[in-house]
Amino acid sequence: MKIFEKVADVREFVTNAKRQGKVIGFVPTMGALHEGHLTLMREAKKQCDVVIVSIFVNPTQFGPNEDYAAYPRTWQQDLELCQSVGVDAVLHPDKDEMYPEDWGTWVEVEGLTGVLCGRSRPTHFRGVTTVVTKLFNIVQPDKAFFGQKDAQQVVVLMKMVRDLNMPLEIVVVPIVRDEDGLAKSSRNGYLTAEQRKAALVLRRALNRADVLARQGESNVDFIQSAVRACIELEPLADIDYVEAYTFPGLQPVTELQQKVLIAVAAKFGTTRLIDNIIIEPAGR
Amino acid sequence: MKIFEKVADVREFVTNAKRQGKVIGFVPTMGALHEGHLTLMREAKKQCDVVIVSIFVNPTQFGPNEDYAAYPRTWQQDLELCQSVGVDAVLHPDKDEMYPEDWGTWVEVEGLTGVLCGRSRPTHFRGVTTVVTKLFNIVQPDKAFFGQKDAQQVVVLMKMVRDLNMPLEIVVVPIVRDEDGLAKSSRNGYLTAEQRKAALVLRRALNRADVLARQGESNVDFIQSAVRACIELEPLADIDYVEAYTFPGLQPVTELQQKVLIAVAAKFGTTRLIDNIIIEPAGR
């Protein structure tokens, strides 16, 4: 497995692979790799000839009071995990390699970024779309793999790729969960045992939405309220949002007539977790 | 010569060319082609195996009171000119192909776009950087060719390419002038004979800056004032700006110690023209 710290070096690797006609798969990550990331990498291995993983804790997607400095960095373990699933190359640039001193060009998606996580993290998606554009230009993948867990991120990136005519396909991979149902996240490690147990309420609440939809409930406000009520029963959960939007359009919705994303975010102590489910009208 | 109206079709052409290892040159234009554009295409032919020209009057780089609707469109003549210099393919998408109804993703360069033309055309460069990003993603050129006449555009695009790690080189080609010295522009056709004669003052004024620099004048304010005074002698010239910045950094400058861009914009009737010169300290 190759390890690159410089953009120029990974570019050379990519150019050679492309010259040989290889299909390039790309999994951008911030490290602290878990089963969710590994699932993306395995899917990339299935669909592509060469798999490149980036490990870069991207400062521009963290707000001033967020956990950039504290974000878990587990470099040695990450490398071993990449190797274990057969990744071909890891790109691990430092901050200055990605953002030199006089850097300043942003990619911004309108319309989808002011809801859900974009409301409490107003500059987050601008940081994500910008760094992903940079990484796409560096790695030039044919396919890039993202997890459904960051549902809004997926929708925003798909719009960016379409709007800017980027020559690649975004592949979305379902949420990976621990046995107890908690969605895999690099931030789960912050949780105390008690908080972790409490956090299971998110999955329970989203399952409730699914059950209601399957039973024929089509009032989205009602479903949303039921999810909120379920989470409110957990005293350790501090709700950031419980929202419902059409998927993938992220438009407001009242009747369940198409795919609807129910997305939740809540804090357990200082740790903010997100989870989501996509529900459909009964009988589909 | 191939003519493409659909993004998918030009993509297929590009993919095939790349598969054969061809070096792709790209000249983005808004049509109304003149000798300046042809010079870019000839340079592209020299340096590349396959030359693609886009002809697209880009709505997002025009302000609400600017000349988008009136901008000259000379499609048949443009095609003949492209053919005459051996262009391999022309991309000529319509507005909906480039900007579908729910489109909304922007590329913005900070820091260089609030001066010169960016001051009187506040949304202009955002439109340029966005459409050029789209075209780069569609055409995937190895080299893209731009004229020095739009000096600020060149600087902004070079910063964009560097900041977003776009996998291509920007080649800058010197200003092409008519025999009388007027810089070639698609907007020159708007001028009356009298205005055209008056517009020659821009080149005369910029030459004055060059002469002063060669004579050892190093006070940039003084040089700038001399240029302005020269243009003010022409009653038909309505000055928008006469400005001086370091090149290519576009930073304020008082002493001529490095390359300095002297850039002017003025209206003749309703037609806004730009021109520029890069001066250097005497003895370099």
Side-chain angles (χ1 to χ4, degrees), chain B:
Chain B
M1 188 173 73
K2 303 269 186 192
I3 299 169
F4 299 109
E5 296 189 349
K6 297 293 173 195
V7 168
D9 295 336
V10 73
R11 250 195 224 296
E12 196 187 328
F13 175 81
V14 165
T15 305
N16 284 333
K18 283 194 170 277
R19 213 168 271 152
Q20 293 166 43
K22 307 277 193 193
V23 174
I24 296 181
F26 178 46
V27 182
T29 82
M30 299 209 301
L33 301 179
H34 52 64
E35 192 56 33
H37 299 108
L38 298 183
T39 305
L40 298 179
M41 296 174 200
R42 285 192 204 101
E43 192 57 38
K45 284 295 285 183
K46 256 187 244 167
Q47 297 191 25
C48 308
D49 304 316
V50 172
V51 172
I52 302 175
V53 171
S54 65
I55 297 181
F56 177 61
V57 183
N58 173 38
T60 64
Q61 72 193 69
F62 289 83
N65 299 312
E66 292 182 1
D67 58 345
Y68 171 65
Y71 197 84
R73 286 157 172 91
T74 56
W75 171 237
Q76 278 309 324
Q77 189 189 310
D78 289 350
L79 277 191
E80 284 161 26
L81 289 171
C82 287
Q83 192 128 35
S84 75
V85 293
V87 164
D88 298 282
V90 172
L91 169 61
H92 182 238
D94 70 13
K95 216 171 80 173
D96 291 344
E97 180 73 3
M98 291 295 277
Y99 299 107
E101 209 187 330
D102 56 347
W103 181 93
T105 300
W106 296 93
V107 177
E108 248 182 303
V109 173
E110 290 179 336
L112 303 173
T113 54
V115 300
L116 298 166
C117 287
R119 197 173 296 145
S120 52
R121 308 183 72 188
T123 60
H124 172 68
F125 284 108
R126 188 176 81 145
V128 171
T129 45
T130 300
V131 79
V132 169
T133 296
K134 285 169 65 70
L135 291 167
F136 282 175
N137 282 329
I138 294 166
V139 173
Q140 298 174 62
D142 298 285
K143 297 184 179 197
F145 296 77
F146 293 88
Q148 174 63 34
K149 177 168 161 273
D150 299 301
Q152 187 175 12
Q153 170 173 283
V154 163
V155 171
V156 168
L157 291 176
M158 286 171 80
K159 181 166 165 65
M160 175 185 84
V161 165
R162 195 207 61 165
D163 282 359
L164 295 183
N165 307 95
M166 294 179 175
L168 59 94
E169 180 193 340
I170 289 208
V171 180
V172 183
V173 177
I175 298 179
V176 178
R177 298 179 181 281
D178 275 326
E179 275 185 24
D180 60 9
L182 189 65
K184 297 270 187 184
S185 165
S186 303
R187 292 187 173 102
N188 290 351
Y190 297 155
L191 299 169
T192 65
E194 194 190 12
Q195 285 166 347
R196 183 181 169 104
K197 211 174 144 194
L200 300 179
V201 72
L202 299 182
R203 173 59 168 169
R204 277 203 309 279
L206 292 168
N207 274 342
R208 179 91 190 105
D210 194 42
V211 168
L212 286 169
R214 284 173 196 279
Q215 286 171 350
E217 180 58 59
S218 68
N219 181 328
V220 174
D221 282 348
F222 180 83
I223 295 173
Q224 206 177 324
S225 301
V227 171
R228 176 176 283 275
C230 180
I231 301 175
E232 280 172 346
L233 287 177
E234 172 51 61
L236 293 188
D238 176 11
I239 296 178
D240 179 3
Y241 62 74
V242 175
E243 290 184 32
Y245 292 96
T246 60
F247 186 86
L250 295 192
Q251 296 306 304
V253 60
T254 52
E255 277 291 303
L256 183 54
Q257 290 170 333
Q258 53 173 303
K259 283 188 182 181
V260 165
L261 171 73
I262 309 280
V264 300
K267 278 192 166 178
F268 298 84
T270 56
T271 304
R272 185 174 174 283
L273 299 180
I274 59 175
D275 203 346
N276 68 76
I277 195 167
I278 292 163
I279 59 174
E280 291 183 77
R284 285 255 175 121

